[in-house]
Amino acid sequence: MEKELKKSVIGEPMDRVDGRLKVTGAATYSAEFNIPNLTYAVLVSGTIASGTITAIDTRAAERAPGVLTIITHLNAPQLAGYQASAIAANGKPNYRVFGGDKIFFNGQPVAMVVADTFERATYAASLVKATYQKDEHKTSLEDNLANAISPSRGKDYQRGAIDAYKTAPVQVEQTYMLPTEVHSPMELHNTTAMWDGDKVTVYTKSQGVKATQQSIMNTFKLTDDKVQVNSRFVGGAFGSALRTWPHEIATVMAAKKVGRPVKLLLTREQQFTMVGYRPKTIQKIGLGATADGQLVGITHESYSQSSVFEEFTEGSNNVSRFLYASPNVTTRYKIIPLNVGAPAPMRGPGEATGAYAIESALDELSYKLNIDPIALRLKNYAENDPERNLPYSSKYLKECYSIGAEKIGWSNRSQTPGAVKEGDWLVGYGIGCGVFGAHRGRATAKIRINADGNVNIQCATADIGPGTATSMVLIASDALGMPTDKITFELGNSAFPQAGQQGGSSTVSSVGSAVHDASLALKKKLMELSGKTESDLSPGNYTDIIKQQNLPYLEITQGSQGGDEGSKYSMYSFSAHFCKVHVHSVTGQVKVVKAVAVVDAGTIINHKTAGSQMIGGVVGGIGMALTEEALFDDRYGRYINGNFADYHVPVHADVPDIEAVFIDKPDPVLNPMGTKGIGEISIIGFAPAIANAVYNATGKRVREMPITPDKLI
Amino acid sequence: MNQFEYIRATEQAAAVKALVKDANTQFIAGGTNLIDLMKMGVAKPDKLVDITRLPLKDIKKTPTGIHIGALALNSQVAENSLILQHHPVLALALNSGATQQLRNMATVGGNMLQRTRCGYFFDVNMPCNKREPGSGCGAIGGINRMHAIFGASESCIAVHPSDMCVALAALDATVTVLGPKGERRMPFADFHRLPGDHPEHDNTLQKGELILGVDIPDARQTKNVAYLKVRDRTSYAFALVSVAAVLNIEGGIIKNAKLAMGGVAHKPWRLHAAEASLIGKQATIDNFKQAAQIAMQGAKTYKYNEFKVKLGHNTIVQALKTAASVA
Ligand SMILES: Cc1cc2nc3c(=O)[nH]c(=O)nc-3n(C[C@H](O)[C@H](O)[C@H](O)COP(=O)(O)OP(=O)(O)OC[C@H]3O[C@@H](n4cnc5c(N)ncnc54)[C@H](O)[C@@H]3O)c2cc1C
Ligand code: SF4
């Protein structure tokens, strides 16, 4: 009886469809294509932070064995898409790879050596000697706050009275610092390019092959049929592969110059300077509340670093505008242009940074008011979006609070800091909330059913780790009523139908909708061909219909996009992160002993991969709170820990049992599956949960991340 | 990385000879430190003499103690039953260093000769007297959070990064080396040196000398030991400070104490005065605190490493508490 019920596969904890390929090493990542006649490129990094290249001596390198070419700004081919002018439209200097003699930041590539082996290219690169005229450089955020400018994006915001928190009976006014964090995926950034006449094929680490294709088309003035970009497997990216970086353009340029395929793999050290990072920020929060905990005003000011040639803004203030129901909110944002590489979005861009500050300040307020931090959040719970005055499409944050509190053992928490001890360890509990916009972009999927009953779907989306292909197979399986093992999903090829980049937690919502709609369109076509109605069409009929029509296969390309729901609803994913920490009372070492992340992200398509996403985000949050900090010596404008030994990402021993709990209730508005998005909220709010737990354990409020032992003794 | 020649030594004397003959030749053992330095352009040998095939891997009992060959792997030493039985503090120290993968490659000799992790030393575009004598010390006016608080000089404030060596210093080990003129032995404490005016020399090894092994004298007590390493992440990070404590407690009275610190000086830092203050005393927290205070006297700090004085103090107290099982 039970068997006959049509059970949806949605939510099933399904193994990754490419899991076997990955764990057996059979998955070919972009740096692993052994193309005949391949040559190897190595970039030479500049060694000053600001100035002009006065000379580059490449003679010794040219004589080194196996060297094919050395590209510098003196001989780089002119690229049609690079503006000739040294000044961009926004009045900033243009940074173009090998586009001129100006140095904007330390580590900027000054030459590329191409040789017949990687080792020979590496050796020759060490022989290239650049001489510079140094200019004064600025790399310190703190020392240059006076040079802050208002960016053209990230406008200031005002609701109600300006800085109203200052009028409230209970106030918190504090400054929070988050250091520069570097994405640090395991797989290094890499690009392989090969030209065939006027056509170029590129293998690269990318979060969106269509966007990379477009950049190459623009830079080399090519049409889309001349540029093919592949990025099927990506060994993590966290936002670092959301743009086409200079090294990718340089590789395409070099392949043209040497007339052979060229492969470039950045070094770990170059990952620190060439492919973005989460910019260092200083955030000032003012909170004002009535004595019983009603928020009167929130002021959130952010200062973040940017390069001298671009404006990069973190959306760090956004969360303060709508997460809590405060009648008065003021936000101000300034950037400080510095001689540093360009920042880039990093997991939970803006919100992770902002939530760290606001969720820490709220915790401080809870102690001032002597109100439980969860009670304080409930007291100021926003039933509707106070920024846009719209209802939320769905919001189960209250449920997140109560489930998380129960799972972490919140009742064991003492409102008095430092009151709970287990042996030499002080015990603390903390909460931090995450919120991130739920989006749906335009996407198109091509679906084909063969006469043998196998279904193949293609879309130019990416999978940087969340298990996209697996989720898409589940969505198609559900829509078609077919078993998952009959369905394959292909991605990471620019020849496939259009999809946006994998960023902003929007892939399942956008691409999943296209897969869903394409599956329904296929069913509709089958009905048309067979004259069957919805109720008498069953998956068992699909192949019969195709055979009856004498077709080898049936194929449909279906675009999909949302409507005007964004103007009627505010759509967000929510999370409540909880943790229990131990802080050693003598040595100051912090251990997260338990983590619980409760998530309202709409329908969960695959509980297994979604759980993994959450674990990854929580680990990122541990890094943010406890270990990660890229350090500059401002005298030289160089990192002093730009490597994996000294830049500390969390290791297994830093990571406790992590329990991810999903509310798993569909969002009725955003897309047909009812999903919202989990990639970002998995990290957003976790760092403050730890900082708050550390305070609860010790009574010490650390306002400069990371919380290392020296700050607690 | 420069191009280099590579030969394998099959015999100790030949290895020493090869090193003496060519000015720019270096031994290579596990390569976990040397290869990194070569990649960064910090070490530029013309020739490498691979010594890993030399018969120096034994860990064995001798009439006076235990001998560990210079080519015994860090992981072999840490898991060896003789070591676990007689000198568990050495196993604790080794296991707190690096990662299992590195410990499976790293040798005892290589561990002793690993270079400082000072970021300026590793970056050939920064000044560093140790790497390039006379170029200045980047760390003194720079980011010196990891740097020395004892025994530093105007020319270098680097620390020796090893955990193993801290335990060996506490255990009164001796080192045997083979040079062109034959073998010589020295106390472990005299193996590494302070930077003085010549930070380019980490130790007292002479040109061409090959470490054959270390000998640890028998200890009377093996129960009351601890190795405590405080670091920025729970594993795979160098010590902010570390403490090896070896106590001999009889009837609640400390009969003997051996203490050494890591992460505070250019060499493993033996705490003789603190040890003396403990002998004949009861194993109490107050006495531990007093010893820690004595140990930290004379510390000199820089802009970012002031915390090491308090952290050092606390880590000594905690290590003694753990060694003595005092809550
Ligand atoms: C990322 C990272 C983290 C680490 N973390 C730690 C840590 O937390 N704690 C810690 O203690 N260590 C740590 N280490 C260092 C590690 O312990 C050393 O790299 C290792 O012990 C070196 O041994 P090796 O055999 O590989 O030496 P090699 O790299 O082969 O050699 C190092 C030097 O010793 C010389 N040498 C080697 N053997 C002899 C010999 N018998 N006689 C004369 N000269 C010799 C070589 O010529 C060379 O100059 C870490 C290393 C890395 C890379
Ligand atoms: S502390 Fe020593 S190793 Fe570090 S920069 Fe100064 S001289 Fe070099």
Side-chain angles (χ1 to χ4, degrees):
Chain A
M1 181 64 206
E2 246 194 323
K3 269 191 186 149
E4 281 162 38
L5 285 173
K6 180 182 173 287
K7 192 178 161 292
S8 170
V9 293
I10 293 297
E12 291 221 328
M14 180 172 156
D15 290 347
R16 285 167 195 263
V17 293
D18 46 13
R20 199 181 168 77
L21 289 179
K22 287 188 171 180
V23 298
T24 56
T28 314
Y29 287 76
S30 50
E32 297 178 325
F33 287 87
N34 291 318
I35 294 153
N37 223 13
L38 187 59
T39 67
Y40 299 82
V42 167
L43 283 169
V44 179
S45 302
T47 57
I48 64 162
S50 175
T52 309
I53 307 170
T54 50
I56 296 195
D57 185 350
T58 56
R59 284 169 300 179
E62 275 156 22
R63 283 195 303 270
V67 171
L68 298 169
T69 192
I70 299 172
I71 301 176
T72 69
H73 70 283
L74 297 171
N75 67 354
Q78 290 300 308
L79 302 183
Y82 271 7
Q83 294 160 12
S85 126
I87 304 292
N90 61 2
K92 299 210 166 258
N94 254 332
Y95 164 47
R96 303 288 190 223
V97 64
F98 310 135
D101 58 1
K102 286 278 170 273
I103 295 289
F104 302 110
F105 63 96
N106 222 318
Q108 181 180 327
V110 297
M112 181 186 241
V113 177
V114 184
D116 57 356
T117 69
F118 171 70
E119 290 75 14
R120 285 172 148 182
T122 302
Y123 173 60
S126 75
L127 302 176
V128 174
K129 296 284 169 256
T131 348
Y132 307 94
Q133 160 86 50
K134 278 191 205 173
D135 291 342
E136 197 193 320
H137 65 258
K138 296 186 173 77
T139 54
S140 160
L141 180 66
E142 292 90 335
D143 295 350
N144 292 290
L145 291 176
N147 302 329
I149 56 169
S150 294
S152 37
R153 283 180 60 201
K155 288 270 179 269
D156 294 347
Y157 169 82
Q158 185 59 52
R159 171 161 92 234
I162 297 176
D163 291 332
Y165 78 92
K166 290 184 175 167
T167 63
V170 185
Q171 295 172 27
V172 167
E173 198 177 85
Q174 287 298 350
T175 302
Y176 303 89
M177 193 281 290
L178 257 190
T180 297
E181 291 180 305
V182 181
H183 302 75
S184 304
M186 284 305 290
E187 182 201 33
L188 296 163
H189 279 252
N190 64 85
T191 303
T192 302
M194 58 190 144
W195 288 84
D196 178 6
D198 60 353
K199 270 185 75 172
V200 64
T201 304
V202 178
Y203 295 91
T204 194
K205 180 186 184 84
S206 170
Q207 291 180 241
V209 282
K210 287 281 189 191
T212 308
Q213 180 195 37
Q214 191 64 51
S215 294
I216 294 171
M217 285 160 55
N218 294 347
T219 311
F220 291 84
K221 290 280 177 256
L222 297 168
T223 48
D224 62 356
D225 54 323
K226 304 289 188 203
V227 181
Q228 222 231 293
V229 178
N230 304 290
S231 189
R232 182 174 168 203
F233 295 106
V234 178
F238 310 112
S240 64
L242 277 174
R243 67 184 283 181
T244 308
W245 293 103
H247 72 264
E248 298 178 273
I249 298 299
T251 309
V252 177
M253 179 200 279
K256 182 143 204 173
K257 184 146 191 268
V258 297
R260 287 171 65 176
V262 173
K263 168 153 89 183
L264 171 73
L265 186 67
L266 298 190
T267 63
R268 181 57 67 186
E269 288 75 18
Q270 288 172 338
Q271 289 263 138
F272 281 77
T273 56
M274 293 189 189
V275 288
Y277 54 88
R278 193 194 300 281
K280 183 170 182 172
T281 48
I282 293 171
Q283 299 178 75
K284 298 183 178 178
I285 302 282
L287 291 182
T290 59
D292 64 350
Q294 203 71 56
L295 281 172
V296 173
I298 302 175
T299 293
H300 192 153
E301 287 178 12
S302 293
Y303 299 82
S304 72
Q305 69 186 48
S306 191
S307 65
V308 291
F309 50 88
E310 282 176 4
E311 284 186 359
F312 181 88
T313 52
E314 281 269 292
S316 48
N317 293 342
N318 299 357
V319 26
S320 291
R321 299 174 188 166
F322 62 82
L323 186 54
Y324 297 108
S326 172
N328 306 295
V329 175
T330 307
T331 74
R332 307 183 181 94
Y333 195 99
K334 293 262 191 302
I335 58 173
I336 290 83
L338 297 173
N339 295 105
V340 293
M346 179 163 157
R347 199 169 197 175
E351 274 76 359
T353 308
Y356 157 59
I358 187 78
E359 291 293 284
S360 296
L362 206 75
D363 199 65
E364 300 208 36
L365 183 64
S366 76
Y367 286 94
K368 270 205 168 171
L369 294 163
N370 197 21
I371 295 179
D372 177 280
I374 299 177
L376 181 61
R377 283 168 173 81
L378 288 171
K379 183 125 199 158
N380 294 284
Y381 196 79
E383 294 290 353
N384 291 309
D385 178 352
E387 180 184 6
R388 301 176 64 211
N389 260 322
L390 289 175
Y392 289 111
S393 58
S394 59
K395 179 176 180 181
Y396 299 101
L397 185 54
K398 273 184 188 163
E399 287 81 344
C400 295
Y401 293 148
S402 57
I403 294 170
E406 151 90 37
K407 297 232 173 228
I408 199 74
W410 193 255
S411 55
N412 299 320
R413 172 186 177 274
S414 165
Q415 180 73 16
T416 313
V420 187
K421 259 188 132 179
E422 290 175 9
D424 278 336
W425 298 89
L426 298 159
V427 181
Y429 294 83
I431 178 179
C433 293
V435 60
F436 197 79
H439 305 288
R440 174 177 175 186
R442 201 166 52 80
T444 304
K446 181 158 90 183
I447 187 164
R448 170 194 285 204
I449 181 163
N450 293 311
D452 64 4
N454 285 314
V455 170
N456 174 259
I457 307 168
Q458 294 180 331
C459 176
T461 184
D463 181 3
I464 59 171
T468 304
T470 315
S471 308
M472 295 307 134
V473 165
L474 281 166
I475 290 171
S477 160
D478 182 60
L480 294 167
M482 285 178 59
T484 51
D485 59 6
K486 291 266 180 236
I487 304 168
T488 50
F489 182 84
E490 291 179 276
L491 49 70
N493 181 336
S494 64
F496 294 162
Q498 178 274 336
Q501 292 172 297
Q502 183 156 69
S505 304
S506 61
T507 301
V508 166
S509 177
S510 314
V511 179
S513 296
V515 168
H516 174 271
D517 291 358
S519 302
L520 295 192
L522 183 70
K523 273 169 81 174
K524 195 160 159 236
K525 186 84 195 169
L526 288 162
M527 287 188 268
E528 279 168 24
L529 289 172
S530 62
K532 285 185 191 290
T533 61
E534 171 102 55
S535 54
D536 30 76
L537 180 76
S538 86
N541 308 139
Y542 295 172
T543 49
D544 300 338
I545 300 171
I546 297 167
K547 283 179 198 148
Q548 277 157 16
Q549 302 290 323
N550 253 331
L551 294 169
Y553 58 81
L554 188 64
E555 184 174 281
I556 287 191
T557 300
Q558 178 71 42
S560 171
Q561 67 188 79
D564 65 348
E565 55 277 350
S567 60
K568 295 187 212 141
Y569 295 95
S570 270
M571 295 180 284
Y572 289 94
S573 286
F574 298 90
S575 58
H577 292 290
F578 290 81
C579 68
K580 176 184 177 188
V581 302
H582 276 170
V583 181
H584 198 278
S585 54
V586 184
T587 64
Q589 284 180 296
V590 180
K591 274 191 196 165
V592 182
V593 292
K594 191 173 175 173
V596 176
V598 195
V599 182
D600 163 20
T603 302
I604 299 305
I605 301 295
N606 180 354
H607 272 270
K608 187 166 186 184
T609 49
S612 297
Q613 276 268 70
M614 292 308 302
I615 290 169
V618 167
V619 173
I622 293 174
M624 200 173 195
L626 299 181
T627 62
E628 294 185 47
E629 177 174 28
L631 275 171
F632 256 106
D633 183 326
D634 293 314
R635 298 170 305 165
Y636 306 100
R638 286 178 76 76
Y639 283 123
I640 62 131
N641 64 345
N643 61 70
F644 257 8
D646 300 315
Y647 178 85
H648 294 150
V649 296
V651 295
H652 277 297
D654 295 304
V655 178
D657 269 352
I658 299 167
E659 195 176 348
V661 185
F662 297 102
I663 300 292
D664 204 5
K665 288 193 182 143
D667 182 275
V669 173
L670 181 61
N671 58 50
M673 295 83 58
T675 67
K676 292 201 279 192
I678 44 180
E680 327 287 332
I681 43 155
S682 57
I683 187 172
I684 298 166
F686 200 79
I690 295 179
N692 295 343
V694 166
Y695 178 79
N696 185 242
T698 62
K700 288 195 177 117
R701 182 67 65 176
V702 180
R703 300 188 186 88
E704 294 192 359
M705 299 293 104
I707 309 173
T708 44
D710 49 311
K711 297 177 184 167
L712 292 173
I713 54 162
Chain B
M1 197 189 280
N2 276 352
Q3 309 223 352
F4 58 88
E5 220 184 300
Y6 168 90
I7 58 165
R8 273 180 197 157
T10 46
E11 213 226 308
Q12 292 164 21
V16 170
K17 224 184 235 159
L19 224 68
V20 178
K21 199 164 61 135
D22 303 309
N24 200 14
T25 302
Q26 257 181 288
F27 294 134
I28 181 162
T32 61
N33 187 224
L34 184 55
I35 298 285
D36 275 358
L37 293 170
M38 288 167 68
K39 284 191 192 164
M40 302 301 293
V42 177
K44 296 180 179 169
D46 293 325
K47 193 191 235 177
L48 291 182
V49 179
D50 183 345
I51 55 173
T52 51
R53 278 155 182 86
L54 296 179
L56 297 171
K57 294 183 183 136
D58 281 358
I59 305 168
K60 61 185 180 211
K61 243 187 130 8
T62 67
T64 53
I66 287 171
H67 175 82
I68 305 174
L71 291 168
L73 300 178
N74 284 189
S75 53
Q76 287 169 343
V77 181
E79 289 155 22
N80 183 277
S81 56
L82 279 176
I83 299 297
L84 288 168
Q85 192 188 333
H86 296 276
H87 304 293
V89 72
L90 179 58
L92 291 171
L94 278 164
N95 280 331
S96 77
T99 62
Q100 187 65 41
Q101 292 91 327
L102 283 160
R103 294 193 295 269
N104 285 340
M105 288 299 289
T107 63
V108 167
N111 193 318
M112 289 166 62
L113 291 186
Q114 63 172 299
R115 316 259 1 228
T116 183
R117 306 301 298 198
C118 173
Y120 300 88
F121 173 74
F122 262 81
D123 182 348
V124 295
N125 296 297
M126 301 264 214
C128 170
N129 288 327
K130 187 182 274 300
R131 178 173 30 79
E132 209 181 313
S135 63
C137 169
I140 288 178
I143 311 283
N144 42 38
R145 181 168 173 271
M146 299 298 288
H147 289 72
I149 54 171
F150 292 118
S153 73
E154 305 269 285
S155 56
C156 178
I157 60 170
V159 298
H160 192 265
S162 170
D163 291 296
M164 178 193 81
C165 293
V166 178
L168 287 175
L171 292 169
D172 289 324
T174 50
V175 185
T176 307
V177 305
L178 175 70
K181 292 183 201 134
E183 276 185 37
R184 67 185 179 104
R185 287 166 77 86
M186 71 194 95
F188 196 88
D190 296 341
F191 182 82
H192 295 97
R193 61 184 291 283
L194 292 178
D197 293 334
H198 288 285
E200 68 276 19
H201 298 304
D202 295 350
N203 51 58
T204 55
L205 212 58
Q206 302 294 311
K207 172 79 196 155
E209 281 183 326
L210 171 75
I211 302 175
L212 298 179
V214 292
D215 283 275
I216 312 176
D218 279 332
R220 242 188 295 160
Q221 243 266 29
T222 59
K223 192 165 64 81
N224 293 120
V225 303
Y227 187 78
L228 181 58
K229 178 176 178 182
V230 182
R231 43 189 151 173
D232 286 332
R233 67 178 163 190
T234 315
S235 170
Y236 198 26
F238 290 93
L240 293 167
V241 300
S242 66
V243 173
V246 179
L247 300 179
N248 183 0
I249 304 175
E250 283 171 27
I253 303 294
I254 302 170
K255 297 285 180 190
N256 200 0
K258 291 172 181 177
L259 288 172
M261 280 186 102
V264 292
H266 200 254
K267 59 187 285 187
W269 198 245
R270 191 67 193 260
L271 309 176
H272 291 293
E275 291 169 7
S277 83
L278 287 168
I279 293 171
K281 299 248 180 69
Q282 285 192 313
T284 62
I285 291 181
D286 280 347
N287 288 334
F288 297 161
K289 284 187 176 163
Q290 201 198 354
Q293 200 168 352
I294 292 169
M296 300 316 290
Q297 273 165 15
K300 180 174 188 291
T301 62
Y302 300 84
K303 187 170 175 193
Y304 295 101
N305 70 356
E306 245 173 80
F307 72 90
K308 282 195 179 183
V309 177
K310 181 150 189 220
L311 185 61
H313 174 279
N314 289 6
T315 308
I316 292 171
V317 173
Q318 186 64 26
L320 287 169
K321 276 167 64 181
T322 309
S325 305
V326 173

